[in-house]
Amino acid sequence: MTEVIKGVYHIPGQDEMIPDSHVYIIGDPSSQDLSLVDVGLTGKGRYKISSINDFGVKLEDIKRVIMTHTHFDHIGCFAEIKEQIPWAELWVHTAEAEELEQGDERTVYGMDMFQSMCQTQYDIEPGAFKFKVDRRLQDRETLQIGGMTWDVLSIPGHSRGSIALYHASNKILIPGDVVYADYAIGRFDLHGADATALKDSLMRLGELEVDILLPGHNRIVKDLPAGYILKTAQQWAPYLT
Ligand SMILES: [Zn+2]
Ligand SMILES: [Zn+2]
């Protein structure tokens, strides 16, 4: 775990055959009101918790988990994390909250083939991904948490309930799996994906001023060139119809 800037911390994903999402911790350490952004792959709860402990963050200061979206590689170890931090609330965009509360796992696994593979590989029962959602996030909400201000942007396309968290004053963007470093974007073939919506979401993100890009996987970028996301959106636009 490393400090990106004061109030933003990064636990790198530990990819296996299936990728493990990065986890970000947001919130001023003195606020005692920290949030995890995503948790990662099934089986990675212990690694994430020990990274938090090793860095000296107190588990009791973690008040919630905010999901960029509810794919398996981001929410897989939520039950493991909940065992260690049972008081943590779960905040999910409204478009994926309903499914999660009903135990409809189509978004979690994305496709049937992947579902059977994961259930076999990790010995997961059907219906394991049924969780109470404590807060349903909406587009354009402003979260005042951990002594910081984060804007919620609904950016569907990779999944229906994908969100970005944007910290305007430090120009930090946490876009989940919608846009990555190296002009890469998230896949758009899974349940709930929509190529046209993804194009619009990328164009929307392209309007933001972003210096620090903290995606769900691969490299994080601390000195993002101006216009990077817009350029990425424009490069991909012909394929997103
Ligand atoms: Zn995803
Ligand atoms: Zn992912």
Side-chain angles (χ1 to χ4, degrees), residues 39 75-84 128-129 131:
V39 288
I75 201 169
C77 66
F78 181 69
E80 300 160 40
I81 296 286
K82 238 345 220 193
E83 262 178 44
Q84 303 296 319
F129 290 97
F131 299 117

Side-chain angles (χ1 to χ4, degrees), residues 90-111:
L90 179 61
W91 294 9
V92 177
H93 185 267
T94 185
E96 285 174 23
E98 193 73 24
E99 280 187 18
L100 204 56
E101 290 208 314
Q102 288 176 356
D104 176 345
E105 299 178 308
R106 284 177 297 173
T107 294
V108 172
Y109 292 112
M111 62 169 82

Side-chain angles (χ1 to χ4, degrees), residues 5-229:
I5 63 158
K6 186 166 178 274
V8 182
Y9 306 87
H10 172 223
I11 306 174
Q14 210 175 49
D15 295 345
E16 294 187 356
M17 192 176 76
I18 298 169
D20 172 31
S21 78
H22 296 321
V23 173
Y24 298 101
I25 301 183
I26 57 173
D28 189 294
S30 68
S31 69
Q32 299 177 308
D33 178 32
L34 306 181
S35 307
L36 299 184
V37 180
D38 295 339
V39 288
L41 183 66
T42 295
K44 296 298 176 185
R46 187 194 299 255
Y47 157 63
K48 300 289 166 54
I49 292 288
S50 70
S51 301
I52 293 167
N53 283 332
D54 291 350
F55 197 78
V57 169
K58 294 198 187 83
L59 293 184
E60 55 260 41
D61 290 350
I62 298 173
K63 304 298 192 222
R64 66 193 70 80
V65 173
I66 303 174
M67 298 303 308
T68 62
H69 64 302
T70 59
H71 280 161
F72 184 71
D73 56 324
H74 295 248
I75 201 169
C77 66
F78 181 69
E80 300 160 40
I81 296 286
K82 238 345 220 193
E83 262 178 44
Q84 303 296 319
I85 318 176
W87 56 85
E89 292 196 348
L90 179 61
W91 294 9
V92 177
H93 185 267
T94 185
E96 285 174 23
E98 193 73 24
E99 280 187 18
L100 204 56
E101 290 208 314
Q102 288 176 356
D104 176 345
E105 299 178 308
R106 284 177 297 173
T107 294
V108 172
Y109 292 112
M111 62 169 82
D112 291 348
M113 193 185 72
F114 193 60
Q115 174 159 7
S116 24
M117 189 187 90
C118 293
Q119 286 174 341
T120 309
Q121 170 103 0
Y122 294 99
D123 198 18
I124 305 170
E125 296 290 322
F129 290 97
K130 182 177 182 181
F131 299 117
K132 175 175 169 284
V133 173
D134 298 286
R135 179 160 168 181
R136 292 169 187 238
L137 297 169
Q138 313 274 356
D139 189 30
R140 294 176 195 280
E141 261 190 84
T142 299
L143 306 176
Q144 302 283 356
I145 47 174
M148 302 175 87
T149 302
W150 293 87
D151 298 322
V152 176
L153 287 88
S154 166
I155 45 166
H158 172 69
S159 73
R160 204 177 289 129
S162 284
I163 59 160
L165 294 174
Y166 181 56
H167 187 253
S169 51
N170 284 307
K171 301 180 184 168
I172 301 172
L173 184 71
I174 303 178
D177 281 352
V178 170
V179 61
Y180 305 112
D182 306 313
Y183 301 99
I185 63 169
R187 58 192 288 180
F188 42 94
D189 59 330
L190 299 172
H191 173 76
D194 179 330
T196 312
L198 182 57
K199 179 164 67 181
D200 293 345
S201 294
L202 286 164
M203 294 305 281
R204 185 176 177 198
L205 294 181
E207 291 169 9
L208 302 173
E209 282 185 37
V210 179
D211 287 344
I212 300 178
L213 181 68
L214 303 177
H217 304 278
N218 304 327
R219 287 196 305 125
I220 70 172
V221 187
K222 292 185 188 175
D223 51 355
L224 199 71
Y228 168 83
I229 297 175

